[in-house]
Amino acid sequence: MPDAPSNDAPYRLIDDVEFGENVVVYSFTNLYGCSIGDDTRIGTFVEIQRGARIGAACKIQSHTFICDGITIGDGVFVGHGVMFINDKRPRATADGGALQTEDDWELLETTIEDGASLGSGSVILGGVTVGAGAIVGAGAVVTRDVPAGATVAGVPARVPDSSFA
Ligand SMILES: CC(C)(COP(=O)(O)OP(=O)(O)OC[C@H]1O[C@@H](n2cnc3c(N)ncnc32)[C@H](O)[C@@H]1OP(=O)(O)O)[C@@H](O)C(=O)NCCC(=O)NCCS
C-alpha cells in the first residue's frame, strides 16, 4: 500500500494517512489520520481529519471539510465547500471552564453511501446516512437520512413535492 499520493504538489500537510493506489492530492491540503481509497482525488484547501474514511474513485472538491466520524463510500462526489458536522451541541469549554477534550462531547457518525453526490456548499449534520446514488442539492442542509437514489434540496433538505427532473 502506498504511503503517499501518486502526484507531487507543493504545500500539502500529510500525516499518518493510509493511501490506496493512484490517489491524487492537490496543494494546500491538510490530511491526517484518515484513509483514502484507490483513484480518489482531493482538491485544494481540503481538510480531512483523523478517523475519516474516504472510499475509492471519489472526487473531493476544493474547500471541503471532512471530520472524524465520517465514512464516505466509493464513487462519491463531494462538491466545493461541503461541511460535515460531528458534534450536535458544540461547546468550547467543559464544566469548570477548561477547554473541552474528546471526552466531553459525543461524536456523531455519518455515512455517505456509494455513488452519492453532495452539492457545493451543502452542510451534512452528524448522525445521518445519505443513501447510495442520492443527490444533495447545492446549499442544502441535511438533517435527516436521505433515501437511496433520492434528490433533496433546501434547508432543511427535503425531497420536493414535485420531483426534480
Ligand atoms: C438539486 C439539483 C440536482 C436539481 O436539479 P434539477 O432537477 O435540474 O432541478 P431544476 O434546476 O429543474 O430546479 C427545480 C426546482 O428546484 C429548485 N432548486 C434547484 N436546485 C436547488 C437547490 N440546490 N436548492 C433549492 N432549490 C433548488 C429550482 O429553483 C426549481 O424550483 P422552481 O420550480 O420553484 O423554480 C441541482 O439544482 C443542484 O443543486 N445540483 C448540485 C450542483 C452542484 O453543487 N455541483 C457541484 C459541482 S459544480
Side-chain angles (χ1 to χ4, degrees), residues 2-153:
D3 60 1
S6 65
N7 69 319
D8 201 11
Y11 305 113
R12 305 185 292 203
L13 292 177
I14 295 173
D15 181 28
D16 186 26
V17 176
E18 215 174 277
F19 286 102
E21 303 286 341
N22 197 32
V23 174
V24 172
V25 176
Y26 291 103
S27 299
F28 306 111
T29 43
N30 187 20
L31 316 178
Y32 50 97
C34 54
S35 64
I36 300 172
D38 297 347
D39 300 314
T40 283
R41 288 170 176 252
I42 311 290
T44 52
F45 298 105
V46 167
E47 172 160 326
I48 306 178
Q49 288 189 322
R50 184 168 305 286
R53 286 173 291 168
I54 317 289
C58 293
K59 282 189 172 184
I60 314 296
Q61 303 292 81
S62 69
H63 300 89
T64 278
F65 172 66
I66 303 175
C67 48
D68 187 9
I70 309 304
T71 300
I72 292 179
D74 296 335
V76 170
F77 180 93
V78 178
H80 301 271
V82 174
M83 292 290 150
F84 287 88
I85 286 173
N86 61 9
D87 182 2
K88 193 160 191 180
R89 296 182 176 273
R91 295 285 185 201
T93 57
D95 292 344
L99 283 180
Q100 275 199 353
T101 68
E102 282 175 14
D103 298 331
D104 295 316
W105 60 280
E106 183 197 357
L107 176 80
L108 296 174
E109 305 209 343
T110 288
T111 302
I112 311 299
E113 293 182 346
D114 295 352
S117 292
L118 309 180
S120 292
S122 57
V123 174
I124 315 297
L125 267 290
V128 302
T129 296
V130 176
I135 297 181
V136 172
V141 176
V142 175
T143 60
R144 306 265 181 241
D145 291 352
V146 177
T151 297
V152 297

